Amino acid sequence: MFLDKKILLGITGSISAYKMYQFIRVLKQKGANVRVIVTPNAKAFVSTTILSTFSEHKVYCEFVEDDLWQNHVHLGRWADLFVIAPASCTTISKLVNGLADNFLVATYLSCPAPVILFPSMDEDMWLHPSTQHNISLLQQRGNTVVEPSTGSLASGLNGKGRLPEIEEMINYIESNFIRQSILAGKKVLVTAGPTEEPIDPVRVITNRSSGKMGYAIAESLYMLGAEVYLVSGPVAIKTKYTGIHLIQVNTADEMYSACNQFRESYDYAVFTAAVADYTIPNRSDKKIKKLDQDLQINLTKTKDILGTLGLQKLPHQKVIGFALETDNAVDNAIEKLTKKNADLIVLNHLSDTNSCFNQDQMEVSFISKDEIQKFSSLSKIEIASKLSNYIIKNWLQ
Ligand code: CTP
């Protein structure tokens, strides 16, 4: 997503400035071009040698360096995005007042690109009316200000003022500035993870599923501009982007009800969840004690969510299912396509040696009524990206 994006990073004098080493490395790994400006005060906290090594470019600080005038206007116009992190109280105040006594502020005043600030300071400084007034002025002028996180501060106190974790910063920028708009206006429903059917208060019947496939698809479609509703069973992972609407459920019945509310409104629905096919109709309210004899549990069928929504789909809606098969894989997948009235089934070839639970690389086929496309050795993120491209190529009007 950051590929070839021009990110200008302004670092100011704050203890958390050292975290920018990692920030630059992640941006570079994601394919961004990075230029760095430091304020004179920032030099007390970071090494310009390390910053220039990681960014693979000289670091700017003074208006004149080695008898050469540094062109802040040119640098400001170069950027696709100006990130000021950490943004200290002093720099925030200078930005508000246009006090261009250093290269960073002068560049800010000449920069037509969007600006995002990550303030970092002690909690009392952050909460002070002067800072809050300055922050609200910056926001009124169109700058994005991300609130600091809460936790232990360099002062030894606990409170608000920490720079967010690098991953959170990157995800925020991706979500708010790098997100594309090709699927803008499209509503997508995604199911993910397992469901859990309680036997008693401490025991459940479930399927093995990490949820990673569904989350990757939700994130991919979200980053292309879609409005995404992710209905997720219990999983250990989180969505990268807060803009994704996460609806957490436990049972198959809860997952069905959550999906059913979008029955008429979704454009594309992707069903990756490993939904339990059976549930316990008369679960015990109390923990079942171990008996001398065997225990019989009566199971009843759950609703097929994809099958139900697939059969009810409206002309503008497209539905994608997933199939995990061991025998007669393609035939079974084609049968599911027809039976569930899906437009596409993504078949995971489970019998292949490189394709089983918790494997990073999978062999999958995209099966529609017109064609079968086979892909070998794809990661879940690559499958998500291929599926997004399939939707755009075949169904986007
Ligand atoms: N699915 C669903 N609701 C269910 C069961 C399955 O929405 N109650 C969806 C899954 O999310 C997946 C597709 O149906 O997209 C296929 O699931 P799978 O378990 O392979 O198919 P089943 O219909 O349950 O058949 P079987 O387990 O016998 O292969």
Side-chain angles (χ1 to χ4, degrees):
M1 285 288 173
F2 276 96
L3 192 62
D4 295 333
K5 290 279 174 215
K6 294 181 216 139
I7 309 290
L8 182 57
L9 172 64
I11 304 176
T12 75
S14 160
I15 294 283
S16 58
Y18 75 93
K19 293 185 178 173
M20 292 302 101
Y21 296 143
Q22 183 60 14
F23 183 70
I24 295 168
R25 296 196 83 174
V26 176
L27 286 177
K28 292 290 290 182
Q29 280 160 6
K30 286 179 176 277
N33 291 313
V34 183
R35 300 281 184 273
V36 181
I37 307 173
V38 292
T39 60
N41 285 343
K43 282 182 162 176
F45 301 97
V46 275
S47 146
T48 52
T49 311
I50 298 177
L51 292 171
S52 65
T53 306
F54 287 168
S55 65
E56 299 178 86
H57 203 273
K58 69 166 281 185
V59 171
Y60 300 88
C61 182
E62 306 295 342
F63 287 102
V64 177
E65 288 172 21
D66 298 330
D67 288 340
L68 286 174
W69 177 69
Q70 305 298 308
N71 192 331
H72 57 88
V73 179
H74 190 254
L75 191 59
R77 284 172 181 261
W78 169 85
D80 293 324
L81 177 67
F82 192 3
V83 182
I84 303 179
S88 68
C89 248
T90 313
T91 294
I92 287 169
S93 167
K94 286 183 183 181
L95 298 180
V96 168
N97 292 293
L99 183 56
D101 69 344
N102 69 38
F103 192 75
L104 189 152
V105 181
T107 309
Y108 166 81
L109 295 176
S110 346
C111 179
V115 179
I116 176 167
L117 294 100
F118 289 91
S120 174
M121 60 196 72
D122 215 61
E123 184 176 61
D124 293 332
M125 295 172 82
W126 168 251
L127 293 176
H128 196 281
S130 305
T131 310
Q132 288 302 311
H133 179 64
N134 285 339
I135 293 291
S136 94
L137 285 173
L138 284 176
Q139 286 170 325
Q140 281 167 34
R141 294 173 191 168
N143 303 278
T144 300
V145 182
V146 180
E147 291 228 339
S149 305
T150 303
S152 61
L153 303 168
S155 60
L157 299 174
N158 239 291
K160 198 168 198 169
R162 283 175 64 87
L163 195 70
E165 297 305 318
I166 298 306
E167 201 187 338
E168 289 172 50
M169 293 174 68
I170 297 281
N171 290 347
Y172 188 94
I173 293 170
E174 271 184 346
S175 199
N176 290 278
F177 294 96
I178 312 289
R179 193 174 169 217
Q180 296 174 14
S181 58
I182 189 158
L183 288 178
K186 296 292 176 193
K187 197 170 189 172
V188 177
L189 171 65
V190 181
T191 68
T195 62
E196 287 183 348
E197 310 304 316
I199 299 171
D200 68 14
V202 292
R203 300 180 181 96
V204 294
I205 295 180
T206 189
N207 284 332
R208 287 170 68 191
S209 170
S210 67
K212 285 181 190 164
M213 188 70 255
Y215 278 59
I217 290 168
E219 284 162 5
S220 170
L221 292 168
Y222 174 76
M223 285 309 289
L224 291 165
E227 181 185 351
V228 177
Y229 292 83
L230 175 60
V231 180
S232 173
V235 291
I237 55 174
K238 289 184 176 160
T239 47
K240 272 166 75 177
Y241 309 117
T242 50
I244 293 177
H245 304 278
L246 179 66
I247 303 167
Q248 289 170 304
V249 297
N250 285 308
T251 65
D253 195 43
E254 287 168 12
M255 187 171 273
Y256 171 74
S257 302
C259 291
N260 196 39
Q261 59 179 310
F262 301 104
R263 193 179 63 230
E264 290 177 1
S265 61
Y266 72 84
D267 295 289
Y268 313 122
V270 189
F271 297 90
T272 75
V275 186
D277 288 327
Y278 294 93
T279 190
I280 297 101
N282 42 7
R283 72 187 64 135
S284 170
D285 291 341
K286 297 196 179 74
K287 186 182 165 198
I288 300 171
K289 297 299 287 177
K290 189 164 58 186
L291 306 168
D292 287 339
Q293 68 271 36
D294 291 343
L295 177 70
Q296 303 281 337
I297 297 176
N298 180 33
L299 298 174
T300 53
K301 274 185 79 174
T302 56
K303 252 203 174 103
D304 188 326
I305 306 169
L306 160 59
T308 310
L309 268 68
L311 290 169
Q312 295 173 348
K313 78 179 179 219
L314 300 169
H316 76 280
Q317 297 178 317
K318 298 287 180 195
V319 163
I320 300 172
F322 271 66
L324 254 178
E325 303 288 346
T326 49
D327 308 304
N328 302 324
V330 173
D331 288 345
N332 282 337
I334 292 172
E335 197 185 317
K336 271 178 195 165
L337 184 79
T338 316
K339 201 169 117 197
K340 303 193 186 210
N341 199 26
D343 299 281
L344 186 75
I345 291 283
V346 179
L347 168 66
N348 183 358
H349 297 268
L350 238 201
S351 56
D352 292 289
T353 47
N354 71 341
S355 187
C356 62
F357 287 107
N358 297 326
Q359 283 287 334
D360 287 338
Q361 300 293 314
M362 304 187 332
E363 189 163 328
V364 297
S365 294
F366 286 8
I367 301 180
S368 69
K369 69 175 182 5
D370 303 318
E371 59 169 343
I372 299 179
Q373 286 174 268
K374 193 163 184 175
F375 305 101
S376 54
S377 211
L378 292 184
S379 70
K380 291 191 167 86
I381 289 179
E382 287 166 335
I383 295 171
S385 159
K386 289 224 178 295
L387 198 63
S388 300
N389 288 338
Y390 184 97
I391 290 174
I392 290 167
K393 192 170 151 229
N394 293 284
W395 300 334
L396 185 63
Q397 293 150 3

XYZ file of all heavy atoms in Angstrom, residues 91-166:
572
model
N 7.002 22.412 19.043
C 6.765 22.405 17.590
C 5.293 22.652 17.285
O 4.961 23.417 16.366
C 7.253 21.075 16.977
O 8.668 21.013 17.123
C 6.897 20.968 15.507
N 4.403 22.044 18.060
C 2.967 22.254 17.839
C 2.650 23.750 17.926
O 1.954 24.316 17.079
C 2.141 21.431 18.863
C 2.220 19.944 18.493
C 0.695 21.900 18.942
C 1.692 18.990 19.541
N 3.202 24.384 18.935
C 2.956 25.827 19.126
C 3.523 26.641 17.957
O 2.891 27.578 17.455
C 3.603 26.239 20.450
O 3.662 27.613 20.539
N 4.706 26.244 17.485
C 5.312 26.969 16.348
C 4.495 26.766 15.069
O 4.341 27.694 14.271
C 6.753 26.480 16.115
C 7.734 26.990 17.152
C 9.141 26.530 16.804
C 10.123 26.971 17.870
N 11.486 26.560 17.564
N 3.979 25.578 14.868
C 3.179 25.305 13.665
C 1.926 26.186 13.672
O 1.532 26.757 12.645
C 2.752 23.834 13.595
C 3.849 22.768 13.509
C 3.248 21.368 13.458
C 4.755 22.978 12.296
N 1.307 26.302 14.866
C 0.076 27.101 14.985
C 0.364 28.560 14.649
O -0.411 29.230 13.959
C -0.509 26.971 16.415
C -1.596 28.003 16.655
C -1.043 25.564 16.627
N 1.525 29.046 15.124
C 1.830 30.467 14.961
C 2.648 30.787 13.716
O 2.977 31.948 13.483
C 2.569 30.964 16.211
C 1.637 30.962 17.403
O 0.675 31.727 17.446
N 1.869 30.061 18.343
N 2.993 29.769 12.960
C 3.808 30.016 11.759
C 5.188 30.536 12.106
O 5.768 31.331 11.357
N 5.723 30.107 13.238
C 7.037 30.585 13.684
C 8.130 29.745 13.020
O 8.586 28.726 13.545
C 7.127 30.476 15.215
C 8.397 30.983 15.873
C 8.668 32.432 15.506
C 8.302 30.834 17.378
N 8.541 30.196 11.835
C 9.423 29.373 10.993
C 10.891 29.603 11.321
O 11.690 29.978 10.463
C 9.134 29.648 9.526
N 11.259 29.386 12.581
C 12.673 29.585 12.936
C 13.464 28.286 12.811
O 14.590 28.220 13.245
C 12.796 30.176 14.348
C 12.383 29.188 15.424
O 11.733 28.175 15.090
O 12.712 29.429 16.606
N 12.861 27.238 12.295
C 13.651 26.050 11.960
C 13.138 25.445 10.658
O 12.068 25.798 10.155
C 13.702 25.036 13.124
C 12.376 24.354 13.398
O 11.625 24.029 12.476
N 12.074 24.143 14.672
N 13.920 24.520 10.130
C 13.651 23.967 8.794
C 12.348 23.171 8.763
O 11.602 23.192 7.784
C 14.843 23.085 8.379
C 14.812 22.691 6.937
C 15.128 23.600 5.937
C 14.476 21.399 6.566
C 15.094 23.240 4.599
C 14.438 21.024 5.227
C 14.739 21.950 4.241
N 12.034 22.485 9.889
C 10.816 21.664 9.915
C 9.572 22.556 9.788
O 8.670 22.283 8.981
C 10.766 20.847 11.214
C 9.661 19.786 11.292
C 10.077 18.629 12.215
C 8.333 20.333 11.756
N 9.537 23.635 10.558
C 8.341 24.504 10.516
C 8.243 25.200 9.156
O 7.146 25.312 8.582
C 8.360 25.535 11.674
C 7.109 26.410 11.618
C 8.444 24.830 13.020
N 9.381 25.635 8.616
C 9.354 26.288 7.293
C 8.817 25.326 6.241
O 8.023 25.719 5.368
C 10.764 26.754 6.918
N 9.221 24.037 6.331
C 8.743 23.043 5.357
C 7.246 22.822 5.536
O 6.500 22.712 4.564
C 9.514 21.712 5.516
O 10.912 21.997 5.494
C 9.177 20.725 4.415
N 6.807 22.768 6.797
C 5.371 22.590 7.071
C 4.570 23.714 6.396
O 3.530 23.470 5.768
C 5.140 22.592 8.590
C 3.691 22.755 8.995
C 2.818 21.669 8.997
C 3.196 23.999 9.399
C 1.486 21.810 9.364
C 1.873 24.152 9.771
C 1.014 23.058 9.746
O -0.301 23.214 10.108
N 5.077 24.952 6.511
C 4.334 26.091 5.950
C 4.328 26.063 4.418
O 3.491 26.697 3.788
C 4.943 27.418 6.449
C 4.829 27.651 7.958
C 5.548 28.922 8.352
C 3.372 27.706 8.409
N 5.269 25.328 3.829
C 5.309 25.266 2.354
C 4.769 23.952 1.806
O 4.941 23.672 0.633
C 6.744 25.404 1.842
O 7.634 25.851 2.779
N 4.156 23.132 2.670
C 3.785 21.774 2.232
C 2.285 21.679 1.900
O 1.448 21.832 2.786
C 4.138 20.782 3.346
S 3.704 19.088 2.939
N 1.951 21.409 0.630
C 0.524 21.293 0.281
C -0.076 19.919 0.595
O -1.282 19.738 0.508
C 0.531 21.519 -1.239
C 1.892 21.142 -1.696
C 2.836 21.267 -0.538
N 0.762 18.946 0.981
C 0.271 17.575 1.225
C -0.461 17.512 2.572
O -0.289 18.375 3.426
C 1.460 16.614 1.251
N -1.277 16.459 2.776
C -1.903 16.269 4.089
C -0.836 16.123 5.175
O 0.234 15.570 4.921
C -2.683 14.965 3.941
C -2.732 14.664 2.490
C -1.616 15.394 1.829
N -1.166 16.630 6.358
C -0.224 16.553 7.486
C -0.871 15.765 8.615
O -2.032 15.992 8.963
C 0.147 17.963 7.999
C 1.111 17.867 9.188
C 0.757 18.796 6.874
N -0.105 14.841 9.176
C -0.597 14.077 10.331
C 0.404 14.212 11.467
O 1.610 14.071 11.255
C -0.860 12.596 9.952
C -1.265 11.791 11.174
C 0.310 11.931 9.291
C -1.847 10.426 10.842
N -0.101 14.542 12.645
C 0.786 14.728 13.801
C 0.520 13.659 14.846
O -0.635 13.327 15.138
C 0.541 16.090 14.464
C 0.904 17.316 13.646
C -0.339 17.914 13.021
C 1.599 18.340 14.523
N 1.600 13.131 15.417
C 1.500 12.207 16.546
C 2.158 12.898 17.748
O 3.372 12.763 17.950
C 2.232 10.897 16.235
C 1.546 10.040 15.201
C 1.861 10.166 13.858
C 0.593 9.098 15.579
C 1.233 9.373 12.898
C -0.040 8.296 14.621
C 0.283 8.442 13.284
N 1.392 13.661 18.540
C 1.997 14.335 19.694
C 2.497 13.330 20.721
O 1.940 12.243 20.861
C 0.834 15.162 20.271
C -0.188 15.226 19.200
C -0.030 13.972 18.407
N 3.540 13.701 21.424
C 4.078 12.845 22.485
C 4.702 13.755 23.526
O 5.603 14.549 23.206
C 5.114 11.896 21.884
O 5.742 11.162 22.885
N 4.215 13.676 24.753
C 4.686 14.563 25.824
C 4.159 14.054 27.153
O 3.453 13.036 27.179
C 4.208 16.000 25.565
C 2.704 16.137 25.506
S 2.130 17.672 24.770
C 2.491 17.446 23.050
N 4.461 14.762 28.234
C 3.916 14.344 29.518
C 2.421 14.676 29.593
O 1.959 15.592 28.896
C 4.677 15.057 30.644
C 4.802 14.133 31.829
O 5.411 13.058 31.691
O 4.230 14.464 32.883
N 1.709 13.938 30.429
C 0.241 14.099 30.434
C -0.182 15.532 30.784
O -1.095 16.086 30.159
C -0.405 13.121 31.420
C -1.931 13.211 31.374
C -2.606 12.185 32.261
O -2.375 12.212 33.492
O -3.362 11.359 31.734
N 0.489 16.145 31.762
C 0.080 17.501 32.166
C 0.257 18.483 31.009
O -0.565 19.381 30.813
C 0.904 17.967 33.376
C 0.579 17.136 34.602
O -0.560 16.635 34.684
O 1.474 16.965 35.454
N 1.336 18.297 30.251
C 1.573 19.178 29.095
C 0.492 18.962 28.036
O -0.017 19.898 27.438
C 2.947 18.900 28.474
C 4.099 19.243 29.398
S 5.652 18.673 28.690
C 6.017 20.001 27.544
N 0.156 17.684 27.824
C -0.866 17.349 26.825
C -2.220 17.956 27.214
O -2.934 18.511 26.384
C -0.982 15.833 26.667
C -2.179 15.391 25.886
C -3.289 14.762 26.369
C -2.411 15.583 24.481
N -4.192 14.538 25.360
C -3.680 15.029 24.188
C -1.685 16.161 23.451
C -4.233 15.034 22.913
C -2.241 16.170 22.168
C -3.487 15.612 21.915
N -2.566 17.853 28.507
C -3.882 18.315 28.947
C -3.947 19.823 29.144
O -5.032 20.388 29.289
C -4.264 17.626 30.271
C -4.507 16.110 30.178
C -4.782 15.530 31.555
C -5.665 15.807 29.222
N -2.789 20.489 29.159
C -2.793 21.936 29.429
C -3.653 22.667 28.390
O -3.601 22.353 27.188
C -1.357 22.475 29.392
C -1.252 23.825 30.014
N -1.616 24.974 29.358
C -0.871 24.203 31.256
C -1.444 26.018 30.163
N -0.988 25.567 31.328
N -4.442 23.660 28.840
C -5.318 24.389 27.900
C -4.562 24.975 26.703
O -5.099 25.031 25.595
C -5.937 25.502 28.755
C -5.846 24.990 30.154
C -4.645 24.099 30.229
N -3.297 25.385 26.910
C -2.534 25.955 25.781
C -2.345 24.901 24.691
O -2.565 25.163 23.501
C -1.136 26.401 26.233
O -1.232 27.279 27.289
N -1.947 23.691 25.129
C -1.724 22.614 24.147
C -3.044 22.242 23.483
O -3.118 22.110 22.250
C -1.124 21.369 24.847
O -0.020 21.786 25.632
C -0.684 20.324 23.840
N -4.075 22.055 24.289
C -5.371 21.649 23.732
C -5.907 22.696 22.751
O -6.484 22.356 21.721
C -6.384 21.394 24.864
C -6.080 20.122 25.646
C -6.056 18.886 24.737
O -6.963 18.660 23.950
N -4.991 18.100 24.820
N -5.688 23.983 23.082
C -6.119 25.056 22.177
C -5.351 24.960 20.849
O -5.941 25.043 19.768
C -5.875 26.402 22.864
C -6.255 27.583 22.027
N -7.562 27.825 21.642
C -5.507 28.569 21.472
C -7.601 28.915 20.894
N -6.367 29.390 20.769
N -4.037 24.759 20.963
C -3.216 24.644 19.743
C -3.630 23.442 18.899
O -3.704 23.522 17.672
C -1.730 24.514 20.117
C -1.144 25.837 20.559
O -1.689 26.897 20.227
N -0.061 25.795 21.314
N -3.904 22.335 19.587
C -4.315 21.115 18.862
C -5.609 21.382 18.102
O -5.739 21.041 16.924
C -4.517 19.932 19.855
C -3.190 19.513 20.475
C -5.213 18.738 19.182
C -2.212 18.848 19.558
N -6.558 22.025 18.780
C -7.835 22.235 18.089
C -7.666 23.216 16.921
O -8.323 23.059 15.884
C -8.933 22.606 19.074
O -9.065 23.958 19.189
N -6.749 24.184 17.041
C -6.496 25.085 15.895
C -5.889 24.310 14.720
O -6.273 24.502 13.559
C -5.552 26.226 16.309
C -6.189 27.326 17.159
C -5.129 28.301 17.649
C -7.257 28.073 16.371
N -4.943 23.407 15.044
C -4.331 22.617 13.957
C -5.394 21.768 13.263
O -5.398 21.643 12.041
C -3.225 21.711 14.516
C -1.898 22.376 14.864
C -0.943 21.372 15.492
C -1.256 23.011 13.634
N -6.296 21.183 14.065
C -7.361 20.344 13.475
C -8.303 21.192 12.614
O -8.669 20.780 11.512
C -8.145 19.629 14.578
C -7.341 18.498 15.191
C -7.988 17.931 16.436
O -8.601 18.658 17.217
N -7.843 16.634 16.637
N -8.666 22.377 13.132
C -9.562 23.250 12.348
C -8.943 23.615 11.006
O -9.642 23.845 10.027
C -9.830 24.548 13.115
C -10.860 24.417 14.219
C -10.837 25.638 15.125
O -10.591 26.759 14.682
N -11.069 25.419 16.412
N -7.603 23.654 10.961
C -6.921 24.016 9.712
C -6.668 22.799 8.817
O -5.906 22.877 7.857
C -5.600 24.718 10.030
C -5.831 26.053 10.712
C -4.521 26.654 11.169
N -4.728 27.790 12.047
C -3.770 28.352 12.769
N -2.537 27.887 12.699
N -4.030 29.385 13.537
N -7.265 21.664 9.175
C -7.200 20.495 8.284
C -6.097 19.508 8.591
O -5.941 18.513 7.870
N -5.304 19.758 9.637
C -4.280 18.772 10.012
C -4.939 17.627 10.783
O -5.918 17.850 11.499
C -3.226 19.406 10.923
C -2.560 20.607 10.286
O -1.645 20.474 9.501
N -3.050 21.806 10.608
N -4.384 16.435 10.668
C -4.882 15.297 11.455
C -3.996 15.143 12.679
O -2.764 15.102 12.555
C -4.825 14.004 10.619
O -5.642 14.202 9.477
C -5.327 12.808 11.401
N -4.622 15.099 13.840
C -3.850 14.906 15.069
C -4.314 13.609 15.728
O -5.496 13.438 16.005
C -4.050 16.084 16.054
C -3.206 15.878 17.311
C -3.707 17.412 15.381
N -3.379 12.691 15.940
C -3.718 11.409 16.572
C -3.419 11.521 18.063
O -2.291 11.868 18.454
C -2.905 10.249 15.956
C -3.259 8.925 16.621
C -3.164 10.171 14.460
N -4.429 11.270 18.876
C -4.257 11.393 20.336
C -3.165 10.453 20.827
O -3.088 9.300 20.369
C -5.560 11.004 21.037
C -6.665 11.987 20.810
C -7.373 12.369 22.085
O -7.291 11.610 23.071
O -7.987 13.443 22.091
N -2.353 10.920 21.780
C -1.341 10.012 22.318
C -1.976 8.847 23.078
O -3.130 8.917 23.487
C -0.533 10.902 23.268
C -1.166 12.225 23.304
C -2.319 12.253 22.371
N -1.198 7.787 23.268
C -1.683 6.630 24.028
C -1.456 6.849 25.520
O -0.687 7.726 25.927
C -0.927 5.369 23.620
O -1.025 5.177 22.257
N -2.086 5.994 26.301
C -1.956 6.061 27.758
C -1.036 4.936 28.226
O -1.070 3.841 27.684
C -3.356 5.911 28.404
O -4.180 6.945 27.874
C -3.302 6.027 29.915
N -0.209 5.245 29.228
C 0.694 4.212 29.766
C 1.817 4.876 30.532
O 1.704 6.045 30.947
N 2.934 4.147 30.716
C 4.035 4.737 31.483
C 4.776 5.752 30.615
O 5.010 5.526 29.424
C 4.976 3.642 31.979
O 5.505 2.964 30.878
N 5.119 6.882 31.230
C 5.758 7.991 30.514
C 7.205 8.132 30.959
O 7.582 7.637 32.028
C 4.980 9.286 30.785
C 3.496 9.226 30.394
C 2.727 10.419 30.956
C 3.360 9.192 28.872
N 7.987 8.818 30.122
C 9.419 8.948 30.433
C 9.638 9.654 31.774
O 10.648 9.446 32.443
C 10.111 9.710 29.310
N 8.689 10.488 32.194
C 8.810 11.215 33.469
C 8.721 10.272 34.663
O 8.985 10.667 35.787
C 7.679 12.232 33.569
O 6.435 11.544 33.523
N 8.308 9.039 34.422
C 8.095 8.097 35.524
C 6.630 8.052 35.926
O 6.220 7.183 36.695
N 5.842 8.994 35.415
C 4.412 9.003 35.723
C 3.675 8.082 34.763
O 4.226 7.646 33.753
C 3.861 10.432 35.593
C 4.486 11.481 36.523
C 3.950 12.865 36.181
C 4.199 11.144 37.986
N 2.433 7.855 35.079
C 1.561 7.077 34.212
C 0.479 7.995 33.684
O -0.046 8.806 34.434
C 0.892 5.968 35.037
C 1.234 4.618 34.484
O 0.780 4.271 33.400
N 2.072 3.895 35.213
N 0.139 7.892 32.424
C -0.937 8.753 31.916
C -0.905 8.832 30.418
O -0.255 8.043 29.732
N -1.617 9.845 29.893
C -1.722 10.015 28.451
C -0.526 10.815 27.950
O -0.155 11.809 28.586
C -3.021 10.777 28.158
C -3.479 10.653 26.745
C -4.898 11.170 26.626
C -5.490 10.654 25.348
N -6.899 10.873 25.276
N 0.045 10.428 26.841
C 1.173 11.181 26.322
C 2.141 10.334 25.529
O 3.029 10.848 24.850
N 1.958 9.014 25.607
C 2.880 8.121 24.889
C 2.654 8.169 23.379
O 1.512 8.275 22.919
C 2.648 6.669 25.321
C 3.231 6.307 26.645
C 2.814 4.887 27.002
N 3.358 3.921 26.052
C 4.551 3.362 26.159
N 5.327 3.658 27.180
N 4.964 2.489 25.267
N 3.732 8.015 22.646
C 3.602 7.819 21.200
C 2.959 6.441 20.998
O 3.368 5.488 21.637
C 4.996 7.841 20.569
C 5.065 8.011 19.055
C 4.651 9.421 18.661
C 6.482 7.729 18.557
N 1.950 6.324 20.112
C 1.374 4.986 19.891
C 2.442 4.022 19.385
O 3.500 4.438 18.909
C 0.307 5.234 18.814
C 0.049 6.699 18.829
C 1.309 7.347 19.292
N 2.149 2.714 19.489
C 3.076 1.710 18.958
C 3.236 1.923 17.450
O 2.310 2.382 16.778
C 2.538 0.295 19.213
C 2.406 -0.078 20.684
C 3.707 0.094 21.448
O 4.767 -0.272 20.895
O 3.672 0.608 22.572
N 4.399 1.558 16.928
C 4.694 1.783 15.501
C 3.631 1.130 14.610
O 3.155 1.720 13.639
C 6.102 1.235 15.151
C 7.167 1.971 15.959
C 6.393 1.331 13.651
C 7.146 3.465 15.847
